[in-house]
Amino acid sequence: MAKKFVNLQNGDRLAYQVYGGGKHTLVLFHGQLVSSWLEGSWRRAIDEADVRCIVFERPGYGDSSVMNITRVGDWIPLFQEAVRQLELHSFDVVGISAGGPYAYATAVGFPELVGRVWLLGGVPAVFRKEIFSLYPPKFQKGYLRLEDQPLSETQEYFENKLAEMKKGLRGEPGGYYENSLNDVSANRCIGPAREGRLHAIPWGFDPFSITQPVTLYYAKGDAMVPYEAAAQMARMLPNAKLITFVESQFRPGVNIHFSSINKGFFSLLKEYPKKPE
């Protein structure tokens, strides 16, 4: 795979990768500690479906410029140029974990283009007290700390975290895991470092004004996105369906957050026709 770029008028750029060549376009927003690289089983599933999947690297990740992002809604004018250059006329969006808010932003910003919205363990609107109050106290303290903590300190935290993850890296050199971690580490980890604070402050648009159908996949027992908060998000959206996974559906000892994302992705692909022979 080779990355491609949307070149912005001010000299910045957005990196992205395209998987599959099907009729139905998906724009996918990655999680906090990954980037535009997709794991092999996901690539194979996309190839079997009649789908073209475009994965953008958000500002600060990988080969995308850092840019001055102060709220999630700043993504909307950036994506306008991507729509023009990639000639996107009709597509669905997928928000994974920390990429969830950007899926909402794209749906709200481009209602005439986005058909369906899929959330896979996506971060809900934690800036709303009805949702934030359903997070455990330690999560609440973490979000509040991010709002005041110097960004450089958060970057240092992620740099140390990524260094430890790279020590335990298994898999082929230059493969999905190594490429992803290198992209997350880019620009002194500014991409993941500022995501938490962007989630916790008002997003700069109203996610509850969304008109498209939204399908949310979440798991009970998820240690990263509390199910109760996700369920409240679903109740507050005007046209939402919540699909719930329970702990008995997963192997003992697995990370429920990531396992439910996998299960949700393969499930949503079944909503699209198979690629013609």
Side-chain angles (χ1 to χ4, degrees), residues 79-273:
F79 191 69
Q80 178 67 62
E81 186 60 22
V83 166
R84 188 186 70 81
Q85 292 189 28
L86 275 64
E87 299 182 344
L88 298 175
H89 303 298
S90 176
F91 56 93
D92 298 332
V93 294
V94 182
I96 296 174
S97 195
Y102 298 85
Y104 288 120
T106 305
V108 170
F110 303 89
E112 73 284 2
L113 302 181
V114 176
R116 291 186 287 184
V117 183
W118 308 95
L119 275 298
L120 310 180
V123 172
V126 291
F127 65 90
R128 290 288 295 264
K129 63 180 181 180
E130 304 97 316
I131 293 171
F132 187 71
S133 64
L134 297 172
Y135 271 70
K138 67 175 183 178
F139 280 63
Q140 294 183 25
K141 291 178 181 178
Y143 272 120
L144 294 172
R145 184 173 63 250
L146 286 174
E147 291 186 42
D148 299 322
Q149 180 172 282
L151 183 60
S152 60
E153 291 185 16
T154 312
Q155 288 178 268
E156 183 178 359
Y157 164 80
F158 277 103
E159 286 180 304
N160 293 333
K161 183 180 182 70
L162 268 292
E164 287 301 313
M165 293 175 69
K166 288 179 180 180
K167 287 180 182 178
L169 190 64
R170 288 177 172 79
E172 73 280 14
Y176 159 73
Y177 294 106
E178 183 176 41
N179 288 335
S180 294
L181 294 182
N182 286 339
D183 278 349
V184 177
S185 299
N187 307 299
R188 291 201 55 227
C189 296
I190 194 170
R194 65 183 173 188
E195 295 249 78
R197 67 171 67 189
L198 293 180
H199 293 162
I201 63 176
W203 290 353
F205 66 94
D206 180 9
F208 305 105
S209 68
I210 193 168
T211 58
Q212 300 93 329
V214 182
T215 303
L216 306 96
Y217 291 88
Y218 289 91
K220 291 185 176 180
D222 188 332
M224 298 185 71
V225 179
Y227 177 80
E228 294 77 11
Q232 180 63 29
M233 182 77 181
R235 287 191 291 268
M236 294 172 67
L237 290 166
N239 187 13
K241 178 173 68 173
L242 175 63
I243 296 178
T244 301
F245 300 129
V246 296
E247 293 182 58
S248 62
Q249 293 178 272
F250 304 103
R251 298 192 314 274
V254 303
N255 183 301
I256 290 179
H257 182 67
F258 297 120
S259 296
S260 67
I261 288 170
N262 276 322
K263 189 180 287 289
F265 185 71
F266 296 134
S267 177
L268 77 84
L269 283 183
K270 293 177 182 177
E271 298 295 318
Y272 298 90

